[in-house]
Amino acid sequence: MDSTTPLLQPAPHGGGGSRELEAILEDASVPWARRALRGAGVELPLLLRIALPAVAVYMINYLMSMSTQIFCGQLGNLELAAVSLGNTGIQVFAYGLMLGMGSAVETLCGQAYGAHKPGMLGVYLQRSTVLLTATGVPLAVAYGFSERILVFLGESERIAHAAAVFVYGLIPQIFAYAANFPIQKFLQAQSIVAPSAYISTATLALHLALTWLAVDRLGMGLLGGALVLSLSWWIIVLAQFGYIVTSPRCRETWTGFTSQAFHSLGSFFKLSAASAVMLCLETWYFQILVLIAGLLKNPELSLDSLSICMTINGWVFMISVGFNAAASVRVGNELGAGNPRAAAFSVVVVTSLSLAVAVVCAVVVLCIRDQLSYFFTGGEAVARAVSDLCPLLAVTLVLNGVQPVLSGVAVGCGWQAFVAYVNVGCYYIIGVPLGVFLGFYLDLGAKGIWSGMVIGGTMMQTLILLWVTSRTDWNKEVIDVLHPCHALLLMLVIHSMHAVFSDDD
């Protein structure tokens, strides 16, 4: 029976889970600290085996956009400002929307795989691709009017025109997103992550060579850099699809194209919309930061400095996203194998590891704050502006080590609507006005805009989610969860959390 909500059935023991880890954690005769240490020794290799390829995929894909920005930034400050506005102000809109809508594949494919319905994974992959491709059509039209949109929003005509040239070359990338995110989630649901990492690594090397050729040697400028970026994304899509079609590991989950891809699109769209809205409210927030910066007295300098910081922030954020993708696979494996304590312990380990990496990255940024801008563009003015923003960047990096985990908990508990309200309140009612007040009325420039938006938005949202999570009546939440599969998973995790952290020595 075709459904967008397949029933979850536990997999047989040993389906990717670790009975050794479960046995260590449930041994009440051993002190908790010793159990945790021994458990970490078992969990870390299992986690890193999945996390490292996942982090590599997200980081390398992001690095392609980052490298394009670096190549184009070497052409001059106007070009860097244009790419920054095009990438962070326009392109991230499509990225967030497509990634959010593609998240439905992760949920449905994971459930279908756990329910031993492998054939449905290919149906969900195709259904999501059809839906995202249709969504890409109006986005492509919006890209075509990007210059008028940017001028309407108050950007200078000079920067808006240059940014539009770059954005025109990114139109093919929209439809690469429409295919890539469903494919990525399709593979991830089966714990197939290493092939995507190899494909992304090889594509990055080709991308760097082609970008150098187009921008530096052939003089194709902003349009050439954007077209190469779009081409690189399509290479990734075709290579991953080629793997799916030819690999024995996908023989049961991909059985060919089917007309079922066009069935139940309405219910599939509803499932995609909630996560997309929640994610877009967050990604648009940083777009607004860049767009507001373009209205300052010295827009080129503001955009250059902010875009460099936002690029680094986005890169480190990809690490947290990769770790949380790995956590999803590990928790699914352990729950499927009947190891709830191990599943809960995996969440603790991956959260701690993500936060630790974020703290290290923040320290590195502070240590090289005076040299950071020279990786992107020349000029002492930009270097000073970036150095001045680095303390804010460091705070944002640390918050990003925690915030994705809290958002993941919220999604797992069915709090999408609540988090959307929190995001609107923190980001748009408090954060944006506070940033505008500090940046314009107190004349603090880009630093004031970012300070207000970090303190009023990101930090407040993180604290609210921490408070709500700590004060939640988890037993009541299990009853309130709408989907029975989610209730089962959440109940297992809650009970295992209580068991792991209780003093049962």
Side-chain angles (χ1 to χ4, degrees):
M1 180 179 64
D2 180 19
S3 171
T4 55
T5 54
L7 294 177
L8 182 67
Q9 300 172 358
H13 285 284
S18 172
R19 283 303 307 170
E20 179 186 2
L21 178 58
E22 185 75 6
I24 291 172
L25 296 174
E26 67 185 6
D27 187 0
S29 64
V30 179
W32 164 242
R34 188 178 300 173
R35 275 184 281 163
L37 186 60
R38 290 177 58 194
V42 175
E43 172 62 23
L44 278 175
L46 296 173
L47 178 65
L48 292 177
R49 192 178 305 154
I50 304 170
L52 292 181
V55 170
V57 169
Y58 284 103
M59 287 189 65
I60 291 172
N61 290 347
Y62 187 80
L63 187 56
M64 287 197 303
S65 295
M66 185 177 177
S67 63
T68 298
Q69 185 166 321
I70 292 173
F71 274 106
C72 293
Q74 301 303 320
L75 298 175
N77 287 345
L78 172 64
E79 287 77 5
L80 177 60
V83 176
S84 305
L85 195 58
N87 250 340
T88 312
I90 300 292
Q91 180 259 355
V92 170
F93 176 87
Y95 184 92
L97 182 62
M98 292 292 195
L99 179 60
M101 294 185 70
S103 297
V105 180
E106 184 173 13
T107 301
L108 294 174
C109 283
Q111 292 177 4
Y113 198 67
H116 306 293
K117 298 179 179 178
M120 289 305 300
L121 272 73
V123 175
Y124 293 140
L125 166 61
Q126 295 172 62
R127 191 172 294 168
S128 181
T129 303
V130 169
L131 185 60
L132 266 64
T133 300
T135 305
V137 174
L139 286 177
V141 174
Y143 273 37
F145 289 95
S146 56
E147 182 174 1
R148 296 182 184 181
I149 293 173
L150 291 172
V151 171
F152 175 78
L153 293 174
E155 305 298 333
S156 72
E157 292 187 7
R158 184 164 172 257
I159 297 178
H161 175 72
V165 171
F166 181 77
V167 170
Y168 296 154
L170 295 181
I171 291 177
Q173 185 190 50
I174 298 174
F175 299 99
Y177 285 162
N180 177 76
F181 293 131
I183 288 174
Q184 194 176 75
K185 302 303 182 182
F186 169 88
L187 292 171
Q188 181 183 310
Q190 304 171 69
S191 302
I192 302 174
V193 287
S196 295
Y198 298 143
I199 291 170
S200 295
T201 303
T203 304
L204 176 62
L206 180 62
H207 173 77
L208 293 174
L210 291 177
T211 304
W212 171 80
L213 179 65
V215 176
D216 285 2
R217 291 302 177 185
L218 299 181
M220 296 176 65
L222 295 174
L223 182 61
L227 288 173
V228 170
L229 183 57
S230 294
L231 174 63
S232 297
W233 272 92
W234 271 110
I235 291 173
I236 290 176
V237 168
L238 295 174
Q240 289 185 131
F241 183 69
Y243 175 84
I244 290 173
V245 172
T246 59
S247 174
R249 300 177 68 181
C250 301
R251 186 172 299 157
E252 294 184 355
T253 54
W254 175 263
T255 57
F257 294 100
T258 172
S259 61
Q260 285 185 287
F262 298 93
H263 298 170
S264 304
L265 289 178
S267 58
F268 201 97
F269 175 79
K270 292 178 182 179
L271 187 63
S272 304
S275 296
V277 169
M278 192 183 99
L279 183 62
C280 285
L281 285 174
E282 296 186 14
T283 57
W284 293 347
Y285 187 59
F286 290 101
Q287 284 181 277
I288 291 173
L289 172 60
V290 175
L291 291 172
I292 293 175
L295 305 177
L296 292 169
K297 296 177 182 178
N298 190 346
E300 284 190 25
L301 180 62
S302 300
L303 284 172
D304 287 348
S305 57
L306 265 179
S307 67
I308 290 172
C309 292
M310 287 295 99
T311 299
I312 296 170
N313 176 59
W315 195 8
V316 176
F317 183 75
M318 292 300 110
I319 300 177
S320 298
V321 172
F323 273 117
N324 282 281
S328 175
V329 175
R330 284 289 302 123
V331 170
N333 286 342
E334 295 297 348
L335 290 178
N339 302 327
R341 293 173 183 261
F345 189 75
S346 180
V347 173
V348 174
V349 172
V350 75
T351 303
S352 302
L353 194 56
S354 177
L355 178 59
V357 171
V359 170
V360 171
C361 291
V363 172
V364 171
V365 163
L366 291 175
C367 290
I368 62 173
R369 57 189 294 185
D370 294 329
Q371 295 79 34
L372 203 56
S373 70
Y374 293 107
F375 291 102
F376 299 85
T377 188
E380 292 185 7
V382 176
R384 287 194 300 268
V386 171
S387 179
D388 196 39
L389 290 174
C390 275
L392 280 171
L393 175 59
V395 172
T396 306
L397 294 181
V398 173
L399 289 174
N400 281 345
V402 178
Q403 190 270 343
V405 179
L406 297 178
S407 293
V409 172
V411 171
C413 297
W415 299 342
Q416 287 96 329
F418 168 74
V419 175
Y421 287 125
V422 171
N423 288 350
V424 169
C426 293
Y427 290 158
Y428 299 98
I429 297 179
I430 300 176
V432 172
L434 181 60
V436 170
F437 175 76
L438 295 176
F440 289 91
Y441 289 93
L442 297 187
D443 202 25
L444 296 178
K447 187 175 183 180
I449 295 174
W450 197 359
S451 297
M453 294 180 76
V454 167
I455 296 171
T458 309
M459 185 177 294
M460 182 171 291
Q461 182 226 30
T462 302
L463 292 175
I464 289 175
L465 291 180
L466 274 172
W467 182 80
V468 170
T469 302
S470 65
R471 302 273 296 181
T472 296
D473 182 349
W474 291 107
N475 292 321
K476 181 179 181 297
E477 283 298 320
V478 171
I479 299 174
D480 292 341
V481 171
L482 295 178
H483 197 288
C485 300
H486 292 167
L488 173 61
L489 291 175
L490 185 57
M491 177 68 81
L492 287 172
V493 172
I494 290 168
H495 282 301
S496 59
M497 283 288 191
H498 283 303
V500 169
F501 290 110
S502 61
D503 185 11
D504 51 4
D505 296 330

